[in-house]
Amino acid sequence: MKLIGATASPYVRKVRIVMAEKKLDYQFVQENVWADDTHISASNPLGKVPCLVMEGGEAVFDSRVIVEYLDTLSPVGKLIPSQGRERAEVKTWEALADGVMDAGILARLEATWVHRKDSERSQAWIDRQLLKVNDGLKSMSQGLGDKPYCSGIHLSLSDIAVGCALGWLEFRFPEIAWRSEYPNLGKLLDKLMQRPSFADTKPA
Ligand SMILES: N[C@@H](CCC(=O)N[C@@H](CS)C(=O)NCC(=O)O)C(=O)O
C-alpha cells in the first residue's frame, strides 16, 4: 500500500498512527497539495491528502474511510468496535476531532492562504471557525472527564483522532491555551506521545 500525504496534515497523521498501531507496512509518499505542480488529483479528484493507493492502483479516501478499512486488515490492536452503540461512540469522537481540525484549517486558510488578498479575508469567518474549535475542545474535555482514554480504559480511534487534533492545534495555533483550560486533554496528549506511533509522527 502507498499512502500519499504530508507530515503537517493531522488527517494524514491519524492514518499513519493507525498503520503503526496495527503494525501494517506501507510506503509513505510525501506530496505538497498546495504546490502549483501537485499531482494529487491524479489519485484523489478532491485534491486532498491522505489518499491510500492499493496494490491494484485503486485509491481510497478520505481519512475516515482509510482508517476504517485499515482496522479490518488485522486483528492486532482493534481500534473501532465492530458494532452498536460503542462503534457509534468511537465514530462520533472521530467526527468531533476531525471537525475541530476542519474548523482550525478553515480559520488558518482564511488568514494565510497566499492566493487571497488581505481585503478578501474575513475576521468574522475566522471567529466563527475558532468558536467551533473552542466548543469542540470543551466537549472533548467533558467527554474525557477523568477516564484514562476517551472511550473507556483502552486506546481506540477516539484517542488517536483527539490526539491528532490536539497535536495539530499545538503546532499551528500555539496561542490557544487549551492545556491550561483543559488539563485532562493535556494529560491525555502527553500519555499518547509516549507511544512510538505518536512520537514518530509529530507534525512538521
Ligand atoms: N476530510 C478529509 C480532509 C483532508 C484534508 O482536508 N486534507 C488537507 C491537508 S491537511 C488537504 O489536502 N487540503 C487540500 C485542499 O483542501 O485543497 C480527510 O479526513 O481526509
Side-chain angles (χ1 to χ4, degrees):
M1 289 182 289
K2 186 171 85 177
L3 175 68
I4 309 176
T7 54
S9 165
Y11 312 97
V12 172
R13 187 181 190 202
K14 182 171 51 147
V15 172
R16 292 174 73 203
I17 290 171
V18 168
M19 290 275 200
E21 291 292 339
K22 303 217 38 105
K23 306 200 183 323
L24 296 167
D25 280 333
Y26 68 104
Q27 182 197 355
F28 186 42
V29 178
Q30 297 205 43
E31 176 75 26
N32 177 1
V33 293
W34 301 105
D36 291 340
D37 60 352
T38 178
H39 292 300
I40 186 62
S41 60
S43 304
N44 179 352
L46 302 175
K48 295 186 179 196
V49 288
C51 178
L52 186 71
V53 182
M54 318 280 253
E55 286 78 1
E58 313 90 335
V60 178
F61 51 86
D62 60 7
S63 68
R64 291 191 217 178
V65 181
I66 299 171
V67 297
E68 186 162 0
Y69 168 67
L70 295 177
D71 202 39
T72 66
L73 290 186
S74 143
V76 173
K78 194 91 186 120
L79 295 170
I80 311 174
S82 53
Q83 59 189 13
R85 286 281 287 273
E86 287 176 348
R87 181 177 177 84
E89 187 195 315
V90 169
K91 303 279 291 182
T92 303
W93 269 106
E94 184 185 24
L96 176 62
D98 280 17
V100 165
M101 305 191 286
D102 293 344
I105 286 171
L106 284 175
R108 187 175 139 77
L109 286 174
E110 186 71 21
T112 64
W113 192 45
V114 288
H115 296 293
R116 184 167 290 166
K117 298 188 200 103
D118 281 350
S119 60
E120 292 169 340
R121 304 189 197 278
S122 163
Q123 189 59 46
W125 179 257
I126 294 172
D127 293 346
R128 181 181 171 90
Q129 299 309 325
L130 291 180
L131 185 63
K132 294 179 200 292
V133 170
N134 285 318
D135 287 350
L137 285 166
K138 185 172 175 193
S139 173
M140 285 176 190
S141 175
Q142 285 170 347
L144 175 61
D146 56 10
K147 299 196 298 281
Y149 291 103
C150 297
S151 297
I153 55 167
H154 298 294
L155 178 88
S156 72
L157 182 62
S158 309
D159 310 290
I160 295 175
V162 167
C164 288
L166 296 174
W168 184 80
L169 284 177
E170 209 152 56
F171 175 56
R172 291 298 195 199
F173 287 92
E175 67 277 19
I176 299 180
W178 60 268
R179 275 186 182 270
S180 52
E181 199 158 349
Y182 307 114
N184 62 343
L185 294 181
K187 222 170 116 190
L188 177 70
L189 183 60
D190 292 343
K191 183 166 65 180
L192 293 171
M193 283 300 289
Q194 313 275 319
R195 306 178 79 89
S197 61
F198 269 82
D200 295 346
T201 56
K202 240 185 137 201

